Amino acid sequence: LEARTANLKGGSVAVVMCPPLPPNGNCYVPEIGVTQAKLALAGYCTVRFNFRGVGASEGATYFRSPLRECEDVRDVARWLHASRKHHGLPPLESVWILGVSYGSAIGAAAAGLFDEFAGYVAVSYPASYLWYCCNLQGETYLNHARCAKPKLFLWGDVDVFAAGAHSAKDREAILTALGAASATRPAASSSSTA
């Protein structure tokens, strides 16, 4: 798998970053690169990667089962542990997953499937079109994501896919289904005087 690291030898907490839907979504999109840089500067050990069949990663992307892409996430975490051990560094305290769009669906499922992960952050989780990005296997991804691990879901105000794709009520239903607490930002209020 093609990967890029930042602060590999520093930090005791690692973040594995999963990119958006291939082939256009890859580890070089700004959402992943900028977030990696900010996390590394904050002291986290980070690694971003391309799923199989994307960029310089060998193999083929396989959308028919969540397991193959989830195994990619797990393999990156295992490589991260091995690399730190090889360099004589102390073991990581925890490994988290941060995914964007399709990568958030894969990351959430991987966190539920594998003990290597402490929890996950889902940016622009593609709930309303999960069926499309996961080849009609969306419910399988959701089932794995329903884990007791900590999770954070973020949807942006100008997200071209996820923000307008479902209402606040829909997002609340998604969070409830996945066992995540909701902390919605209150709407700005305006007042006028006559």
Side-chain angles (χ1 to χ4, degrees):
L1 295 174
E2 175 185 21
R4 297 289 181 263
T5 62
N7 199 27
L8 179 63
K9 296 181 181 180
S12 59
V13 175
V15 180
V16 174
M17 306 180 76
C18 304
L21 186 66
N24 296 329
N26 57 55
C27 71
Y28 300 106
V29 297
E31 297 87 349
I32 295 290
V34 170
T35 304
Q36 181 184 37
K38 288 183 180 271
L39 287 170
L41 287 172
Y44 294 94
C45 171
T46 63
V47 61
R48 58 185 161 134
F49 72 98
N50 280 327
F51 292 109
R52 298 173 207 206
V54 179
S57 290
E58 295 179 1
T61 302
Y62 189 72
F63 299 112
R64 296 186 185 177
S65 167
L67 190 55
R68 185 178 279 177
E69 277 78 16
C70 290
E71 288 171 345
D72 287 350
V73 181
R74 182 208 54 208
D75 292 347
V76 169
R78 288 182 177 174
W79 172 85
L80 191 57
H81 285 294
S83 179
R84 287 180 58 95
K85 184 176 181 179
H86 174 77
H87 290 291
L89 298 168
L92 292 164
E93 291 176 18
S94 62
V95 178
W96 288 73
I97 299 170
L98 183 144
V100 175
S101 188
Y102 172 76
S104 69
I106 299 295
L113 281 168
F114 304 115
D115 292 336
E116 284 92 340
F117 303 108
Y120 64 90
V121 176
V123 179
S124 297
Y125 191 84
S128 63
Y129 59 96
L130 192 59
W131 63 272
Y132 169 75
C133 6
C134 301
N135 197 28
L136 304 177
Q137 298 289 317
E139 192 61 34
T140 303
Y141 284 76
L142 287 171
N143 286 336
H144 293 303
R146 290 181 180 111
C147 61
K149 296 176 181 177
K151 46 189 88 87
L152 172 66
F153 288 80
L154 301 170
W155 284 281
D157 292 342
V158 291
D159 187 318
V160 295
F161 294 107
H166 32 254
S167 67
K169 181 180 174 184
D170 292 337
R171 290 192 294 268
E172 188 69 31
I174 294 160
L175 295 174
T176 301
L178 290 171
S182 175
T184 58
R185 182 178 57 182
S189 62
S190 62
S191 61
S192 61
T193 57

